[in-house]
Amino acid sequence: MPRQYPIEKTRDIGVVAHIDAGKTTTSERILFYTGVSHKIGEVHEGEAIMDWMEQERERGITITSAATTCFWTPTYAHGDKSKEYRINLIDTPGHIDFTVEVKRSLRVLDGAVVVFDGVSGVEPQSETNWRYADEYNVPRICFINKMDRMGASFENSFQSIRERLNPNAIAIQMPIGAESAFEGVVDLLRMKAYHFEGERGEKIIELEIPENLAKEAKERRHELIEKIVEQDDKLMSEYLEGKEPSLEDLKRVLRKATLAVKLIPVLTGSSLKNKGVQLMLDAAIDFLPSPADMPPTKGISFKGDPMERHPIDSEPLAALAFKIAADPFVGSLTYFRVYSGTIKKGSYILNSTKDKKERIGRMVRMHANQREEVDEIYAGDLGAIVGLKDTTTGDSLCDPENPIILEKIVFPTPVISIKIEPKTKADQEKMGIALRRLGEEDPTFKVSGDAETGETIIAGMGELHLDVLVERMKREFGVESNVGRPQVAYRETIRQEADAEGKYIKQSGGRGQYGHVRLKVEPLVGGTGFEFVNAIKGGSIPQEFIPAIEKGVREALDKGVVAGYTVTDVKVTLYDGSFHEVDSSEAAFKIAASMAFQEAAKRAKPIILEPIMKVQIIVPANFMGDVTGDLNSKRGKIEAMNDRLNNKIIDAKVPLSEMFGYATGLRSMSQGRGSFNMEFDHYEGVPNSVSQLIIEGKK
Ligand code: GDP
């Protein structure tokens, strides 16, 4: 089937929001309005929209899929279907404990609608998400939601965006009224007022700007135009000569500046009260990028050479699997985004990350209320493959003849673990399956067994992350379990270079054992992991034993040298040794290598590392002293303190081990009025006093 929508008429976007700001409501409205304007697969000509809406309400719109496809004809096109766009709405998570989910969705979306609560404006988590979006250079528009709520203020929220997120945010709308008198919005580019009528605001009425707002609208437009013309020399000089820029010019320059993240358009409305969402969709079409606007996608060849792919159908396929989800009807779904080329049903593709070929049996595109079987998915578009075997989140999928490994999504390693125990025998059987599935979906969730005790240990990015997974296990898989106390995932590393020799030699009677290695250990930069270098010259150890030696070192890394935690950020160079024609074996070299590594690491000033969390706390100013005093007693480092209205915002770095149960602690310190957010930041060496407690198992 040929391409239905040109790539320029595609938008891959996500709605990003602080929890409770209205992401769900806004997404639901988006799917509702796009559904009304475009009825997929429904051919009841002449059926009144209202009937369809009734049915829709009964059935309920589902917005749980990782990427939902919908269609939008901008309101200003007045129903001209040739102006219709395809929007792939990519799901983003609401809570920051799932940073990996935020990151992975940012990796596949080209633009974002950031939703704010019009009462509270910028909240701590909005800042975290904003920083991620900055990191990935994601063009954004802002939607100040909940203008109907008591205490809603467009101006305060807008200023909080400017002050705390980006001074180049510019208002392209202003509200008409606020709180219970919120009626609609003024479009400052068109200088028109819009009201939303009908049961769900589906009728858009364009009016002149009310008299009482005319002056404010004029001032705001003036400011807006100045900001836009600054971005374009020609427009600027015309403007200075007194020429008012045309709507087309303003839109064109604003689009360019938004794509470059030089300007950030701000809109407003109330999703709940069905006001403003359609105009926000128009703005997403007008100002957020199409996949064709994106820079080429970067990757590497199998040899490690840098490569690039362009968003063009005729290039070889390059796609990224960004989410694996269990679907109750079709089984496992692998969501992917195509960066170049096309992906065809019935073809073979290469999973270049795993170097495994997979066949594309069935492909689907998810809509709000149905899944559509598709034969081909083109560059810039998203879809899901049914039943892939070896592919997990973050893998690259490509043309087998033209392999490319796309830039990886870097997943942080888990920092916290708990023991988990099935409640009954029946639960035990189901638990294995449930844990495996959840692990496939979420690369920051790890499951391991303690061989000695037979216990199962699950590890993740925070207490809440693990709580949610345990809850999902119960809800989705019907597995009841008991969980233990959370434990910090400590690590170990070394602080200096050292050499050591390992000998495993037994030559008395029968077939002997002979393994002998010399190796050097050196510290690596934090987060690098492990590097093994074979520097054997002149065949002092035959090549065939080298893999066993590396394996022996890896096993020793896992066992640790200080307190039994995995050793990380270390380079091991094997530089000498000897062998015996008859007695040498892989097993002997493996043991010798383990011994050598342990000895070398002990001489290399080994230390314990602990996860340090980035914490942001908001409390009313009068509780500030208690909260900072408490942070100090937790070995926390306060990095910034800022004011916001009557609150203080404290940014700090605190060891994870000190943060268990902080939600309760903060509540009692602040009479329930404080809130906080935390995410993993980095690993750091622990002080000696703490190290001793960890070794003794007291921490
Ligand atoms: P999410 O956590 O960001 O997905 O937020 P939800 O969409 O679930 O909204 C959180 C709460 O805010 C719900 O009770 C919504 O009904 C309410 N809400 C969402 N949008 C609006 C709005 O525009 N006005 C008002 N007054 N409430 C809203």
Side-chain angles (χ1 to χ4, degrees), residues 16-27 29 94 115 117 143-150 182 269-275:
V16 176
H18 183 276
I19 203 155
D20 249 18
K23 193 189 81 165
T24 312
T25 314
T26 306
S27 309
R29 293 303 189 270
V115 177
D117 182 325
F143 183 68
I144 298 177
N145 187 31
K146 302 200 186 183
M147 276 310 297
D148 62 300
R149 256 186 80 192
M150 249 247 299
F182 176 61
S270 162
S271 298
L272 187 71
K273 294 287 159 69
N274 308 308
K275 290 184 185 9

PDB file of all heavy atoms in Angstrom, residues 16-27 29 94 115 117 143-150 182 269-275, ligand 1:
ATOM      1  N   VAL A  16       3.582  15.828  27.914  1.00  0.00           N
ATOM      2  CA  VAL A  16       4.430  15.671  29.082  1.00  0.00           C
ATOM      3  C   VAL A  16       3.845  16.527  30.192  1.00  0.00           C
ATOM      4  O   VAL A  16       3.447  17.661  29.937  1.00  0.00           O
ATOM      5  CB  VAL A  16       5.863  16.158  28.767  1.00  0.00           C
ATOM      6  CG1 VAL A  16       6.748  16.098  29.994  1.00  0.00           C
ATOM      7  CG2 VAL A  16       6.464  15.348  27.635  1.00  0.00           C
ATOM      8  N   ALA A  17       3.747  15.990  31.391  1.00  0.00           N
ATOM      9  CA  ALA A  17       3.165  16.800  32.457  1.00  0.00           C
ATOM     10  C   ALA A  17       3.565  16.300  33.822  1.00  0.00           C
ATOM     11  O   ALA A  17       3.916  15.139  34.002  1.00  0.00           O
ATOM     12  CB  ALA A  17       1.651  16.781  32.366  1.00  0.00           C
ATOM     13  N   HIS A  18       3.503  17.199  34.763  1.00  0.00           N
ATOM     14  CA  HIS A  18       3.624  16.854  36.160  1.00  0.00           C
ATOM     15  C   HIS A  18       2.382  16.040  36.506  1.00  0.00           C
ATOM     16  O   HIS A  18       1.306  16.277  35.946  1.00  0.00           O
ATOM     17  CB  HIS A  18       3.647  18.142  36.966  1.00  0.00           C
ATOM     18  CG  HIS A  18       3.839  17.923  38.423  1.00  0.00           C
ATOM     19  ND1 HIS A  18       2.794  17.623  39.257  1.00  0.00           N
ATOM     20  CD2 HIS A  18       4.928  17.948  39.186  1.00  0.00           C
ATOM     21  CE1 HIS A  18       3.260  17.470  40.475  1.00  0.00           C
ATOM     22  NE2 HIS A  18       4.550  17.666  40.465  1.00  0.00           N
ATOM     23  N   ILE A  19       2.534  15.114  37.443  1.00  0.00           N
ATOM     24  CA  ILE A  19       1.400  14.299  37.828  1.00  0.00           C
ATOM     25  C   ILE A  19       0.257  15.225  38.259  1.00  0.00           C
ATOM     26  O   ILE A  19       0.499  16.238  38.905  1.00  0.00           O
ATOM     27  CB  ILE A  19       1.822  13.319  38.943  1.00  0.00           C
ATOM     28  CG1 ILE A  19       0.888  12.127  38.981  1.00  0.00           C
ATOM     29  CG2 ILE A  19       1.934  13.974  40.298  1.00  0.00           C
ATOM     30  CD1 ILE A  19       1.555  10.912  39.571  1.00  0.00           C
ATOM     31  N   ASP A  20      -0.937  14.935  37.804  1.00  0.00           N
ATOM     32  CA  ASP A  20      -2.119  15.722  38.174  1.00  0.00           C
ATOM     33  C   ASP A  20      -2.316  17.019  37.395  1.00  0.00           C
ATOM     34  O   ASP A  20      -3.294  17.721  37.620  1.00  0.00           O
ATOM     35  CB  ASP A  20      -2.100  16.088  39.673  1.00  0.00           C
ATOM     36  CG  ASP A  20      -3.204  15.343  40.400  1.00  0.00           C
ATOM     37  OD1 ASP A  20      -3.700  14.357  39.841  1.00  0.00           O
ATOM     38  OD2 ASP A  20      -3.552  15.761  41.516  1.00  0.00           O
ATOM     39  N   ALA A  21      -1.395  17.359  36.514  1.00  0.00           N
ATOM     40  CA  ALA A  21      -1.551  18.611  35.764  1.00  0.00           C
ATOM     41  C   ALA A  21      -2.655  18.479  34.715  1.00  0.00           C
ATOM     42  O   ALA A  21      -3.182  19.470  34.227  1.00  0.00           O
ATOM     43  CB  ALA A  21      -0.239  19.006  35.105  1.00  0.00           C
ATOM     44  N   GLY A  22      -2.971  17.212  34.367  1.00  0.00           N
ATOM     45  CA  GLY A  22      -4.058  17.019  33.411  1.00  0.00           C
ATOM     46  C   GLY A  22      -3.624  16.308  32.148  1.00  0.00           C
ATOM     47  O   GLY A  22      -4.254  16.433  31.109  1.00  0.00           O
ATOM     48  N   LYS A  23      -2.568  15.507  32.245  1.00  0.00           N
ATOM     49  CA  LYS A  23      -2.104  14.792  31.057  1.00  0.00           C
ATOM     50  C   LYS A  23      -3.162  13.829  30.528  1.00  0.00           C
ATOM     51  O   LYS A  23      -3.443  13.792  29.337  1.00  0.00           O
ATOM     52  CB  LYS A  23      -0.818  14.024  31.391  1.00  0.00           C
ATOM     53  CG  LYS A  23      -0.116  13.537  30.161  1.00  0.00           C
ATOM     54  CD  LYS A  23       1.018  12.617  30.512  1.00  0.00           C
ATOM     55  CE  LYS A  23       0.465  11.242  30.784  1.00  0.00           C
ATOM     56  NZ  LYS A  23       1.490  10.211  30.797  1.00  0.00           N
ATOM     57  N   THR A  24      -3.741  13.057  31.438  1.00  0.00           N
ATOM     58  CA  THR A  24      -4.726  12.064  31.013  1.00  0.00           C
ATOM     59  C   THR A  24      -5.945  12.736  30.388  1.00  0.00           C
ATOM     60  O   THR A  24      -6.398  12.341  29.311  1.00  0.00           O
ATOM     61  CB  THR A  24      -5.182  11.223  32.224  1.00  0.00           C
ATOM     62  OG1 THR A  24      -4.004  10.802  32.917  1.00  0.00           O
ATOM     63  CG2 THR A  24      -5.979  10.019  31.801  1.00  0.00           C
ATOM     64  N   THR A  25      -6.454  13.758  31.066  1.00  0.00           N
ATOM     65  CA  THR A  25      -7.631  14.454  30.546  1.00  0.00           C
ATOM     66  C   THR A  25      -7.323  15.076  29.189  1.00  0.00           C
ATOM     67  O   THR A  25      -8.108  14.961  28.245  1.00  0.00           O
ATOM     68  CB  THR A  25      -8.077  15.549  31.543  1.00  0.00           C
ATOM     69  OG1 THR A  25      -8.085  14.992  32.847  1.00  0.00           O
ATOM     70  CG2 THR A  25      -9.449  16.067  31.222  1.00  0.00           C
ATOM     71  N   THR A  26      -6.172  15.714  29.077  1.00  0.00           N
ATOM     72  CA  THR A  26      -5.813  16.351  27.812  1.00  0.00           C
ATOM     73  C   THR A  26      -5.659  15.309  26.701  1.00  0.00           C
ATOM     74  O   THR A  26      -6.172  15.504  25.598  1.00  0.00           O
ATOM     75  CB  THR A  26      -4.507  17.156  27.987  1.00  0.00           C
ATOM     76  OG1 THR A  26      -4.672  18.057  29.091  1.00  0.00           O
ATOM     77  CG2 THR A  26      -4.168  17.953  26.743  1.00  0.00           C
ATOM     78  N   SER A  27      -4.991  14.199  27.000  1.00  0.00           N
ATOM     79  CA  SER A  27      -4.814  13.167  25.973  1.00  0.00           C
ATOM     80  C   SER A  27      -6.169  12.607  25.551  1.00  0.00           C
ATOM     81  O   SER A  27      -6.421  12.371  24.374  1.00  0.00           O
ATOM     82  CB  SER A  27      -3.962  12.007  26.490  1.00  0.00           C
ATOM     83  OG  SER A  27      -2.780  12.483  27.061  1.00  0.00           O
ATOM     84  N   ARG A  29      -9.018  14.140  25.581  1.00  0.00           N
ATOM     85  CA  ARG A  29      -9.677  15.131  24.726  1.00  0.00           C
ATOM     86  C   ARG A  29      -9.057  15.124  23.327  1.00  0.00           C
ATOM     87  O   ARG A  29      -9.763  15.224  22.335  1.00  0.00           O
ATOM     88  CB  ARG A  29      -9.557  16.543  25.316  1.00  0.00           C
ATOM     89  CG  ARG A  29     -10.306  16.757  26.617  1.00  0.00           C
ATOM     90  CD  ARG A  29     -11.780  16.442  26.506  1.00  0.00           C
ATOM     91  NE  ARG A  29     -12.492  16.857  27.696  1.00  0.00           N
ATOM     92  CZ  ARG A  29     -12.696  16.095  28.769  1.00  0.00           C
ATOM     93  NH1 ARG A  29     -12.266  14.850  28.793  1.00  0.00           N
ATOM     94  NH2 ARG A  29     -13.355  16.563  29.811  1.00  0.00           N
ATOM     95  N   GLY A  94       3.901   9.592  34.064  1.00  0.00           N
ATOM     96  CA  GLY A  94       3.610  10.728  34.925  1.00  0.00           C
ATOM     97  C   GLY A  94       4.576  10.894  36.077  1.00  0.00           C
ATOM     98  O   GLY A  94       4.740  11.982  36.588  1.00  0.00           O
ATOM     99  N   VAL A 115       2.132  20.173  29.618  1.00  0.00           N
ATOM    100  CA  VAL A 115       0.908  20.649  30.263  1.00  0.00           C
ATOM    101  C   VAL A 115       1.213  21.110  31.690  1.00  0.00           C
ATOM    102  O   VAL A 115       1.914  20.422  32.438  1.00  0.00           O
ATOM    103  CB  VAL A 115      -0.161  19.525  30.298  1.00  0.00           C
ATOM    104  CG1 VAL A 115      -1.410  19.986  31.025  1.00  0.00           C
ATOM    105  CG2 VAL A 115      -0.506  19.085  28.889  1.00  0.00           C
ATOM    106  N   ASP A 117      -0.474  22.936  35.351  1.00  0.00           N
ATOM    107  CA  ASP A 117      -1.661  23.268  36.117  1.00  0.00           C
ATOM    108  C   ASP A 117      -1.681  24.796  36.270  1.00  0.00           C
ATOM    109  O   ASP A 117      -0.734  25.378  36.795  1.00  0.00           O
ATOM    110  CB  ASP A 117      -1.553  22.570  37.482  1.00  0.00           C
ATOM    111  CG  ASP A 117      -2.768  22.805  38.364  1.00  0.00           C
ATOM    112  OD1 ASP A 117      -3.345  23.905  38.303  1.00  0.00           O
ATOM    113  OD2 ASP A 117      -3.125  21.892  39.121  1.00  0.00           O
ATOM    114  N   PHE A 143       1.057  24.223  27.414  1.00  0.00           N
ATOM    115  CA  PHE A 143      -0.391  24.393  27.544  1.00  0.00           C
ATOM    116  C   PHE A 143      -0.695  24.624  29.018  1.00  0.00           C
ATOM    117  O   PHE A 143      -0.525  23.722  29.838  1.00  0.00           O
ATOM    118  CB  PHE A 143      -1.097  23.136  27.031  1.00  0.00           C
ATOM    119  CG  PHE A 143      -2.601  23.216  27.050  1.00  0.00           C
ATOM    120  CD1 PHE A 143      -3.268  24.091  26.204  1.00  0.00           C
ATOM    121  CD2 PHE A 143      -3.347  22.410  27.901  1.00  0.00           C
ATOM    122  CE1 PHE A 143      -4.665  24.156  26.212  1.00  0.00           C
ATOM    123  CE2 PHE A 143      -4.740  22.475  27.911  1.00  0.00           C
ATOM    124  CZ  PHE A 143      -5.401  23.355  27.057  1.00  0.00           C
ATOM    125  N   ILE A 144      -1.097  25.839  29.351  1.00  0.00           N
ATOM    126  CA  ILE A 144      -1.456  26.138  30.741  1.00  0.00           C
ATOM    127  C   ILE A 144      -2.914  25.733  30.915  1.00  0.00           C
ATOM    128  O   ILE A 144      -3.823  26.404  30.433  1.00  0.00           O
ATOM    129  CB  ILE A 144      -1.209  27.618  31.082  1.00  0.00           C
ATOM    130  CG1 ILE A 144       0.294  27.912  30.929  1.00  0.00           C
ATOM    131  CG2 ILE A 144      -1.695  27.936  32.491  1.00  0.00           C
ATOM    132  CD1 ILE A 144       0.692  29.342  31.161  1.00  0.00           C
ATOM    133  N   ASN A 145      -3.078  24.609  31.592  1.00  0.00           N
ATOM    134  CA  ASN A 145      -4.382  23.951  31.711  1.00  0.00           C
ATOM    135  C   ASN A 145      -5.114  24.428  32.978  1.00  0.00           C
ATOM    136  O   ASN A 145      -4.558  25.176  33.769  1.00  0.00           O
ATOM    137  CB  ASN A 145      -4.119  22.435  31.763  1.00  0.00           C
ATOM    138  CG  ASN A 145      -5.382  21.610  31.729  1.00  0.00           C
ATOM    139  OD1 ASN A 145      -6.377  21.992  31.129  1.00  0.00           O
ATOM    140  ND2 ASN A 145      -5.348  20.449  32.387  1.00  0.00           N
ATOM    141  N   LYS A 146      -6.303  23.951  33.131  1.00  0.00           N
ATOM    142  CA  LYS A 146      -7.091  24.177  34.352  1.00  0.00           C
ATOM    143  C   LYS A 146      -7.376  25.653  34.610  1.00  0.00           C
ATOM    144  O   LYS A 146      -7.438  26.082  35.769  1.00  0.00           O
ATOM    145  CB  LYS A 146      -6.384  23.578  35.582  1.00  0.00           C
ATOM    146  CG  LYS A 146      -6.118  22.079  35.480  1.00  0.00           C
ATOM    147  CD  LYS A 146      -5.883  21.481  36.844  1.00  0.00           C
ATOM    148  CE  LYS A 146      -5.467  20.032  36.759  1.00  0.00           C
ATOM    149  NZ  LYS A 146      -5.304  19.401  38.051  1.00  0.00           N
ATOM    150  N   MET A 147      -7.543  26.434  33.537  1.00  0.00           N
ATOM    151  CA  MET A 147      -7.839  27.859  33.724  1.00  0.00           C
ATOM    152  C   MET A 147      -9.176  28.089  34.424  1.00  0.00           C
ATOM    153  O   MET A 147      -9.457  29.179  34.890  1.00  0.00           O
ATOM    154  CB  MET A 147      -7.808  28.588  32.372  1.00  0.00           C
ATOM    155  CG  MET A 147      -6.427  29.020  31.923  1.00  0.00           C
ATOM    156  SD  MET A 147      -5.513  29.916  33.187  1.00  0.00           S
ATOM    157  CE  MET A 147      -6.567  31.340  33.380  1.00  0.00           C
ATOM    158  N   ASP A 148      -9.994  27.038  34.485  1.00  0.00           N
ATOM    159  CA  ASP A 148     -11.298  27.170  35.146  1.00  0.00           C
ATOM    160  C   ASP A 148     -11.206  26.985  36.658  1.00  0.00           C
ATOM    161  O   ASP A 148     -12.176  27.204  37.372  1.00  0.00           O
ATOM    162  CB  ASP A 148     -12.246  26.087  34.603  1.00  0.00           C
ATOM    163  CG  ASP A 148     -11.707  24.701  34.913  1.00  0.00           C
ATOM    164  OD1 ASP A 148     -10.576  24.382  34.461  1.00  0.00           O
ATOM    165  OD2 ASP A 148     -12.383  23.941  35.628  1.00  0.00           O
ATOM    166  N   ARG A 149     -10.044  26.547  37.148  1.00  0.00           N
ATOM    167  CA  ARG A 149      -9.959  26.227  38.585  1.00  0.00           C
ATOM    168  C   ARG A 149      -9.843  27.477  39.444  1.00  0.00           C
ATOM    169  O   ARG A 149      -9.268  28.480  39.015  1.00  0.00           O
ATOM    170  CB  ARG A 149      -8.715  25.383  38.849  1.00  0.00           C
ATOM    171  CG  ARG A 149      -9.003  23.925  39.067  1.00  0.00           C
ATOM    172  CD  ARG A 149      -7.745  23.195  39.472  1.00  0.00           C
ATOM    173  NE  ARG A 149      -7.440  23.369  40.882  1.00  0.00           N
ATOM    174  CZ  ARG A 149      -6.278  23.019  41.439  1.00  0.00           C
ATOM    175  NH1 ARG A 149      -5.317  22.496  40.696  1.00  0.00           N
ATOM    176  NH2 ARG A 149      -6.078  23.194  42.716  1.00  0.00           N
ATOM    177  N   MET A 150     -10.323  27.361  40.655  1.00  0.00           N
ATOM    178  CA  MET A 150     -10.146  28.454  41.602  1.00  0.00           C
ATOM    179  C   MET A 150      -8.671  28.710  41.789  1.00  0.00           C
ATOM    180  O   MET A 150      -7.912  27.778  41.996  1.00  0.00           O
ATOM    181  CB  MET A 150     -10.715  28.018  42.946  1.00  0.00           C
ATOM    182  CG  MET A 150     -11.846  28.732  43.251  1.00  0.00           C
ATOM    183  SD  MET A 150     -12.296  29.855  44.370  1.00  0.00           S
ATOM    184  CE  MET A 150     -12.097  29.031  45.886  1.00  0.00           C
ATOM    185  N   PHE A 182     -13.959  31.545  33.263  1.00  0.00           N
ATOM    186  CA  PHE A 182     -13.101  31.264  32.102  1.00  0.00           C
ATOM    187  C   PHE A 182     -13.973  30.861  30.915  1.00  0.00           C
ATOM    188  O   PHE A 182     -14.730  29.903  30.979  1.00  0.00           O
ATOM    189  CB  PHE A 182     -12.110  30.150  32.450  1.00  0.00           C
ATOM    190  CG  PHE A 182     -11.261  29.733  31.282  1.00  0.00           C
ATOM    191  CD1 PHE A 182     -10.409  30.652  30.658  1.00  0.00           C
ATOM    192  CD2 PHE A 182     -11.307  28.437  30.786  1.00  0.00           C
ATOM    193  CE1 PHE A 182      -9.631  30.267  29.573  1.00  0.00           C
ATOM    194  CE2 PHE A 182     -10.525  28.049  29.705  1.00  0.00           C
ATOM    195  CZ  PHE A 182      -9.690  28.968  29.099  1.00  0.00           C
ATOM    196  N   GLY A 269      -5.934  26.943  28.335  1.00  0.00           N
ATOM    197  CA  GLY A 269      -7.272  26.372  28.190  1.00  0.00           C
ATOM    198  C   GLY A 269      -7.663  25.565  29.406  1.00  0.00           C
ATOM    199  O   GLY A 269      -7.053  25.682  30.475  1.00  0.00           O
ATOM    200  N   SER A 270      -8.683  24.766  29.239  1.00  0.00           N
ATOM    201  CA  SER A 270      -9.125  23.857  30.285  1.00  0.00           C
ATOM    202  C   SER A 270      -9.584  22.571  29.619  1.00  0.00           C
ATOM    203  O   SER A 270     -10.616  22.543  28.958  1.00  0.00           O
ATOM    204  CB  SER A 270     -10.285  24.474  31.077  1.00  0.00           C
ATOM    205  OG  SER A 270     -10.958  23.444  31.773  1.00  0.00           O
ATOM    206  N   SER A 271      -8.781  21.535  29.776  1.00  0.00           N
ATOM    207  CA  SER A 271      -9.135  20.269  29.129  1.00  0.00           C
ATOM    208  C   SER A 271     -10.445  19.742  29.684  1.00  0.00           C
ATOM    209  O   SER A 271     -11.304  19.278  28.952  1.00  0.00           O
ATOM    210  CB  SER A 271      -8.037  19.235  29.340  1.00  0.00           C
ATOM    211  OG  SER A 271      -6.859  19.698  28.759  1.00  0.00           O
ATOM    212  N   LEU A 272     -10.578  19.844  31.005  1.00  0.00           N
ATOM    213  CA  LEU A 272     -11.773  19.303  31.638  1.00  0.00           C
ATOM    214  C   LEU A 272     -13.030  19.999  31.121  1.00  0.00           C
ATOM    215  O   LEU A 272     -14.046  19.360  30.867  1.00  0.00           O
ATOM    216  CB  LEU A 272     -11.677  19.463  33.156  1.00  0.00           C
ATOM    217  CG  LEU A 272     -12.786  18.781  33.944  1.00  0.00           C
ATOM    218  CD1 LEU A 272     -12.624  17.269  33.898  1.00  0.00           C
ATOM    219  CD2 LEU A 272     -12.809  19.258  35.381  1.00  0.00           C
ATOM    220  N   LYS A 273     -12.936  21.306  30.959  1.00  0.00           N
ATOM    221  CA  LYS A 273     -14.104  22.068  30.508  1.00  0.00           C
ATOM    222  C   LYS A 273     -14.152  22.188  28.985  1.00  0.00           C
ATOM    223  O   LYS A 273     -14.866  23.032  28.453  1.00  0.00           O
ATOM    224  CB  LYS A 273     -14.106  23.455  31.164  1.00  0.00           C
ATOM    225  CG  LYS A 273     -14.297  23.406  32.673  1.00  0.00           C
ATOM    226  CD  LYS A 273     -15.740  23.046  33.044  1.00  0.00           C
ATOM    227  CE  LYS A 273     -15.906  22.489  34.433  1.00  0.00           C
ATOM    228  NZ  LYS A 273     -15.681  23.436  35.505  1.00  0.00           N
ATOM    229  N   ASN A 274     -13.351  21.377  28.305  1.00  0.00           N
ATOM    230  CA  ASN A 274     -13.391  21.320  26.838  1.00  0.00           C
ATOM    231  C   ASN A 274     -13.114  22.665  26.179  1.00  0.00           C
ATOM    232  O   ASN A 274     -13.779  23.058  25.236  1.00  0.00           O
ATOM    233  CB  ASN A 274     -14.769  20.827  26.358  1.00  0.00           C
ATOM    234  CG  ASN A 274     -15.158  19.536  27.034  1.00  0.00           C
ATOM    235  OD1 ASN A 274     -14.385  18.578  27.024  1.00  0.00           O
ATOM    236  ND2 ASN A 274     -16.327  19.503  27.646  1.00  0.00           N
ATOM    237  N   LYS A 275     -12.107  23.345  26.681  1.00  0.00           N
ATOM    238  CA  LYS A 275     -11.775  24.633  26.078  1.00  0.00           C
ATOM    239  C   LYS A 275     -10.292  24.680  25.694  1.00  0.00           C
ATOM    240  O   LYS A 275      -9.429  24.497  26.544  1.00  0.00           O
ATOM    241  CB  LYS A 275     -12.077  25.765  27.065  1.00  0.00           C
ATOM    242  CG  LYS A 275     -13.575  25.990  27.311  1.00  0.00           C
ATOM    243  CD  LYS A 275     -13.763  27.185  28.220  1.00  0.00           C
ATOM    244  CE  LYS A 275     -15.170  27.479  28.649  1.00  0.00           C
ATOM    245  NZ  LYS A 275     -16.239  26.570  28.385  1.00  0.00           N
TER     246      LYS A 275
HETATM  247  P1  GDP B   1      -2.565  13.510  35.070  1.00  0.00           P
HETATM  248  O1  GDP B   1      -2.196  12.966  36.396  1.00  0.00           O
HETATM  249  O2  GDP B   1      -1.623  14.574  34.614  1.00  0.00           O
HETATM  250  O3  GDP B   1      -2.841  12.492  34.021  1.00  0.00           O
HETATM  251  O4  GDP B   1      -3.915  14.344  35.308  1.00  0.00           O
HETATM  252  P2  GDP B   1      -5.440  13.981  35.066  1.00  0.00           P
HETATM  253  O5  GDP B   1      -5.801  14.277  33.670  1.00  0.00           O
HETATM  254  O6  GDP B   1      -5.744  12.663  35.622  1.00  0.00           O
HETATM  255  O7  GDP B   1      -6.073  15.136  35.938  1.00  0.00           O
HETATM  256  C1  GDP B   1      -5.864  15.227  37.318  1.00  0.00           C
HETATM  257  C2  GDP B   1      -7.065  15.860  37.961  1.00  0.00           C
HETATM  258  O8  GDP B   1      -7.246  17.181  37.459  1.00  0.00           O
HETATM  259  C3  GDP B   1      -8.344  15.113  37.631  1.00  0.00           C
HETATM  260  O9  GDP B   1      -9.161  15.166  38.760  1.00  0.00           O
HETATM  261  C4  GDP B   1      -8.940  15.921  36.503  1.00  0.00           C
HETATM  262  O10 GDP B   1     -10.354  15.836  36.449  1.00  0.00           O
HETATM  263  C5  GDP B   1      -8.499  17.321  36.864  1.00  0.00           C
HETATM  264  N1  GDP B   1      -8.373  18.173  35.682  1.00  0.00           N
HETATM  265  C6  GDP B   1      -7.765  17.905  34.508  1.00  0.00           C
HETATM  266  N2  GDP B   1      -7.867  18.945  33.662  1.00  0.00           N
HETATM  267  C7  GDP B   1      -8.579  19.886  34.330  1.00  0.00           C
HETATM  268  C8  GDP B   1      -9.043  21.187  33.976  1.00  0.00           C
HETATM  269  O11 GDP B   1      -8.829  21.695  32.876  1.00  0.00           O
HETATM  270  N3  GDP B   1      -9.724  21.860  34.934  1.00  0.00           N
HETATM  271  C9  GDP B   1      -9.985  21.341  36.160  1.00  0.00           C
HETATM  272  N4  GDP B   1     -10.675  22.074  37.022  1.00  0.00           N
HETATM  273  N5  GDP B   1      -9.590  20.124  36.514  1.00  0.00           N
HETATM  274  C10 GDP B   1      -8.889  19.404  35.606  1.00  0.00           C
END
